[in-house]
Amino acid sequence: MSEETLSNLLKEDRRFEPPAALAEHANVTAEAYDHAAKDREGFWAEQAQRLTWDTPFEQVLDWSNPPFAKWFVGGRINAAYNCVDRHVEEGRGDKVAIHFVGEPLEPETSGTRSITYAELKDLVSQAANALTDLGVGTGDRVAIYMPMIPEAVVAMLACARIGAPHTVVFGGFSSDALASRLEDCQAKVVVTADGGYRRGAPSALKPAVDEARTKTDVVEKVLVVRRTGQDLGADGWDDAVDVWWHDAVDAASTEHTPEAFDAEHPLYVMYTSGTTGKPKGILHTTGGYLTGAAYTHWAVFDLKADTDVYWCTADIGWVTGHSYIVYGPLANGVTQVLYEGTPDSPERGRWWKIIEEYGVTIFYTAPTAIRSFMKQGREIPDARDLSSLRVLGSVGEPINPEAYVWYREVIGGGNAPVVDTWWQTETGAIMISPLPGVTSGKPGSAMNPIPGVSADVVDENGQSVPDGSGGYLVVTDPWPSMLRTIWGDDERFKETYWSRFAKEGFYFAGDGAKKDEDGDLWVLGRVDDVMNVSGHRLSTTEIESALVSHPKVAEAAVVGAKDADTGQAVCAFVILRDDAGDGGDDIVAELRKHVRKEIGPIATPRQVMVVPELPKTRSGKIMRRLLRDVAENREVGDVTTLADSSVMDLISSGMSTGKDD
Ligand code: WT7
């Protein structure tokens, strides 16, 4: 028993067939899997034809020096041209690219407006000219530290247009985090804003850039969008460095000829902190990345660019915003919504109002958001007409079966398939996902690698596990949007991702997963979070999903804490649904019994703590490491990546009042 790699415990029998009408006109049909498998490189060469190449590539893949891949060798391409100009040249200049929705409702401040592809082309060209005037040349790095406003997208595309790799730093990060990223990639210019609107108020950004500049001297110029008009303070402007966007960009010419770059020219660096250590600058290059983003956006969401209205709620500071707000959707020429603010401002139903108003057809969000809406209750979305929705996506964490079913029923009206998309900053694009017109969906399962991608679940020795077993998730063949290295650290790149298994060419993602009896994949969480209870390796996800399937529970986080008898014991932290009140006197016993019934005695939590909030990263992932500190009565560790640092105090104080049974 102690030999098992990861237990496979939770059973799920619900199935959802693709809607007949969607399946009939689906972009991708079941044949695609075989077609791609027969000639994988040929398949990717076909997908690369979604793009307009300046010079065609001569070789699809050069994998002669693994793990350093080169895709579309010899090809030359401009990413911004592909996302903007070609749509205008092909007669779609009047089509809306971005419906921008500002958080404030008041017309004077909201900034809400629609930008056509022709307008976007002018803006990107102007910004490209302005960056060039500021001294940015091909290969120079530009940092972008912005709210969710159209200028953020424009800045990214302007960088791509001139071949200057961007590094977008999430606007919620501190000046320290910004400074370390500026320093690591030696960013010459920062594009920022005075601030953005969040939770009904202007939230400053520029002061953090000023602060970061006291910690590193790499930055030569700061280009500042005036978004909120807030006071920058007495020392808040440095004429030698700071330049207003409305001066530099508005005055620049709308004429700009995009230069074609090598397919392997760096497009961007995205920092990801993972669970430990110094943030890793994940490098993505141009041709392969754009191919992966465009193809997956088209295939996984069944995108009909002429009629769909697409909305991804991610922040452009994360890879999801890069691949599924900027590069994939714009390369595909769709109309999309870009929303500045939070889901609950000025009212809890703000997102549903936006979907109704713009007739959003494809909606892509994260499980953490879905669970917070489950907590609030269905009355809020039920008050809006969401019938335009036809495909729903989920990304960022495993989606618990109960949250999946709620999403499908309440948001999708029972008609819209849910695609649970597994991928990472490192993979650049979706890797494992149902296809909405093909797959009979199972709630909680990311199902299968998409056509063109090969992945498997393996044991300690890199051997494929049989159906019905768990292990480590690996990608077994290179893919076009794969990371090329960690910026400035090839050794760490090899060590982190490619050395876990002796077998050359296995990319280890850091996640545990299982193959069910049908061979479908279930992602079970980070392997660092796996618990070992009496020699059974238990996944956090399965126990959390069992807890969330209880009608009183909205969210759950499970960790292993040292235990004298069993090695580790399961400790659960749960958030109750609003309509469950305090859960009643027997809530702890009730939940323990529920897990025992759903999974089995081995998974029964030793402790269940009812908490008001869970510690999450700024992208919404639960930080189980901090909960382990609480469960093992340790002082809580490094909280710098925590979205709300007061959360740990709330949880720790709840602990001392003793919710154990
Ligand atoms: C990690 C990557 C993918 C872009 C946003 C997050 C977890 C992501 C799923 C999913 C189960 C998922 C994994 C992965 N994850 N999507 N559908 N099911 N787990 O990017 O910050 O690089 O995080 O997020 O653990 O390794 P990221």
Side-chain angles (χ1 to χ4, degrees):
M1 264 312 199
S2 59
E3 292 300 300
E4 75 187 339
T5 304
L6 193 59
S7 295
N8 166 23
L9 299 168
L10 200 69
K11 293 278 171 280
E12 172 61 61
D13 298 319
R14 290 170 286 190
R15 295 286 179 279
F16 296 105
E17 295 302 324
L22 195 156
E24 200 186 331
H25 302 286
N27 287 353
V28 186
T29 57
E31 289 81 57
Y33 291 102
D34 277 348
H35 171 68
K38 275 203 194 90
D39 176 10
R40 236 172 29 81
E41 289 183 22
F43 174 83
W44 283 116
E46 280 166 25
Q47 302 315 318
Q49 302 315 322
R50 298 178 178 284
L51 308 178
T52 305
W53 293 80
D54 178 78
T55 307
F57 48 88
E58 287 145 20
Q59 186 187 355
V60 180
L61 168 66
D62 175 357
W63 191 232
S64 56
N65 181 28
F68 301 96
K70 291 195 175 110
W71 280 87
F72 307 125
V73 182
R76 296 185 74 82
I77 189 165
N78 187 289
Y81 173 85
N82 273 273
C83 291
V84 187
D85 303 47
R86 63 173 179 154
H87 305 309
V88 180
E89 287 171 12
E90 288 162 16
R92 295 186 295 276
D94 291 339
K95 180 175 180 176
V96 171
I98 296 172
H99 289 298
F100 172 64
V101 182
E103 195 191 77
L105 293 174
E106 301 71 29
E108 315 79 66
T109 46
S110 78
T112 296
R113 64 189 184 280
S114 297
I115 299 169
T116 65
Y117 274 96
E119 290 166 337
L120 188 61
K121 174 172 180 279
D122 287 351
L123 289 166
V124 172
S125 299
Q126 287 179 300
N129 283 321
L131 287 173
T132 306
D133 289 346
L134 291 177
V136 179
T138 305
D140 288 342
R141 274 80 62 203
V142 174
I144 298 176
Y145 184 66
M146 300 270 267
M148 285 284 287
I149 57 177
E151 289 83 353
V153 177
V154 170
M156 289 167 72
L157 292 172
C159 288
R161 197 175 184 91
I162 62 175
H166 54 70
T167 185
V168 183
V169 179
F170 174 54
F173 277 138
S174 65
S175 62
D176 279 337
L178 176 60
S180 69
R181 287 158 175 78
L182 293 173
E183 184 74 31
D184 189 78
C185 75
Q186 299 281 299
K188 195 167 173 181
V189 166
V190 181
V191 186
T192 188
D194 50 357
Y197 290 99
R198 281 197 83 70
R199 302 209 162 74
S203 164
L205 282 170
K206 176 68 165 52
V209 178
D210 297 346
E211 176 84 26
R213 282 209 301 114
T214 66
K215 297 166 187 155
T216 168
D217 53 13
V218 298
V219 176
E220 295 171 15
K221 291 284 175 192
V222 179
L223 184 58
V224 189
V225 176
R226 185 183 279 154
R227 166 61 181 137
T228 59
Q230 65 202 106
D231 186 11
L232 296 175
D235 306 321
W237 194 263
D238 178 349
D239 276 325
V241 175
D242 296 330
V243 181
W244 282 114
W245 175 284
H246 54 256
D247 290 336
V249 177
D250 293 2
S253 164
T254 55
E255 296 298 319
H256 183 275
T257 309
E259 185 188 333
F261 300 105
D262 189 272
E264 285 297 335
H265 187 74
L267 182 62
Y268 68 83
V269 178
M270 172 92 247
Y271 286 87
T272 173
S273 42
T275 44
T276 49
K278 167 169 175 267
K280 303 184 280 277
I282 303 300
L283 175 68
H284 285 291
T285 58
T286 308
Y289 172 78
L290 202 59
T291 298
Y295 157 66
T296 52
H297 182 248
W298 172 86
V300 173
F301 298 108
D302 188 46
L303 182 80
K304 308 289 193 250
D306 291 342
T307 46
D308 275 318
V309 178
Y310 167 83
W311 183 19
C312 166
T313 67
D315 193 282
I316 45 131
W318 312 122
V319 73
T320 309
H322 285 50
S323 301
Y324 299 108
I325 295 177
V326 180
Y327 291 106
L330 295 177
N332 289 334
V334 72
T335 294
Q336 70 177 315
V337 168
L338 181 77
Y339 173 55
E340 178 182 32
T342 50
D344 50 1
S345 193
E347 42 164 9
R348 281 172 151 193
R350 185 74 195 271
W351 278 11
W352 320 125
K353 180 170 185 260
I354 293 171
I355 290 177
E356 182 181 87
E357 280 180 10
Y358 290 89
V360 172
T361 58
I362 303 174
F363 183 61
Y364 194 26
T365 195
T368 178
I370 298 165
R371 291 188 304 255
S372 78
F373 299 129
M374 274 171 75
K375 175 174 187 286
Q376 296 167 2
R378 66 175 295 160
E379 298 71 29
I380 300 166
D382 279 352
R384 294 288 174 178
D385 177 5
L386 306 180
S387 60
S388 57
L389 291 171
R390 64 178 202 92
V391 177
L392 300 174
S394 169
V395 62
E397 281 181 293
I399 179 165
N400 318 98
E402 226 43 56
Y404 173 116
V405 170
W406 190 93
Y407 192 27
R408 195 190 141 86
E409 295 303 320
V410 177
I411 306 305
N415 302 312
V418 173
V419 288
D420 173 9
T421 63
W422 179 88
W423 60 293
Q424 306 177 299
T425 303
E426 292 86 342
T427 70
I430 295 167
M431 302 292 278
I432 303 176
S433 172
L435 292 176
V438 177
T439 314
S440 164
K442 299 176 181 175
S445 171
M447 302 299 295
N448 306 113
I450 60 170
V453 170
S454 357
D456 200 0
V457 181
V458 299
D459 65 17
E460 290 289 342
N461 305 315
Q463 297 298 319
S464 183
V465 304
D467 290 351
S469 309
Y472 303 94
L473 184 60
V474 292
V475 182
T476 53
D477 286 301
W479 65 103
S481 63
M482 63 200 284
L483 76 166
R484 295 305 194 265
T485 190
I486 293 174
W487 185 257
D489 202 342
D490 287 349
E491 276 314 306
R492 190 174 178 203
F493 167 62
K494 286 197 252 181
E495 162 68 29
T496 308
Y497 302 108
W498 303 93
S499 64
R500 178 67 181 73
F501 301 100
K503 189 150 171 191
E504 182 137 309
F506 269 22
Y507 168 83
F508 175 47
D511 286 329
K514 72 179 184 189
K515 287 193 264 191
D516 68 15
E517 302 299 339
D518 306 319
D520 296 321
L521 295 171
W522 298 68
V523 180
L524 298 177
R526 305 293 297 170
V527 291
D528 309 334
D529 290 333
V530 165
M531 296 161 286
N532 194 322
V533 179
S534 307
H536 296 268
R537 290 169 60 79
L538 305 180
S539 114
T540 52
T541 304
E542 291 198 312
I543 304 174
E544 288 163 6
S545 290
L547 286 160
V548 175
S549 75
H550 188 283
K552 290 181 184 170
V553 177
E555 263 206 271
V558 158
V559 298
K562 277 198 196 65
D563 186 275
D565 301 326
T566 56
Q568 280 190 318
V570 177
C571 291
F573 298 77
V574 299
I575 299 180
L576 300 180
R577 297 197 194 201
D578 287 356
D579 62 10
D582 71 356
D585 290 344
D586 298 329
I587 184 70
V588 169
E590 212 175 303
L591 294 180
R592 295 184 72 218
K593 193 166 143 220
H594 181 73
V595 173
R596 189 154 48 232
K597 174 169 89 31
E598 292 293 310
I599 299 192
I602 183 74
T604 311
R606 182 186 74 186
Q607 285 167 289
V608 176
M609 267 93 38
V610 176
V611 293
E613 255 313 327
L614 288 169
K616 289 184 188 154
T617 63
R618 291 176 172 85
S619 64
K621 290 194 211 297
I622 297 170
M623 293 180 72
R624 291 180 187 76
R625 171 173 65 78
L626 299 180
L627 294 173
R628 268 196 300 273
D629 291 342
V630 173
E632 295 184 340
N633 298 313
R634 261 196 312 276
E635 195 169 323
V636 174
D638 182 10
V639 293
T640 46
T641 56
L642 197 59
D644 173 0
S645 52
S646 64
V647 165
M648 289 318 295
D649 299 334
L650 279 174
I651 294 172
S652 306
S653 63
M655 282 290 290
S656 54
T657 61
K659 279 269 187 185
D660 304 4
D661 75 341

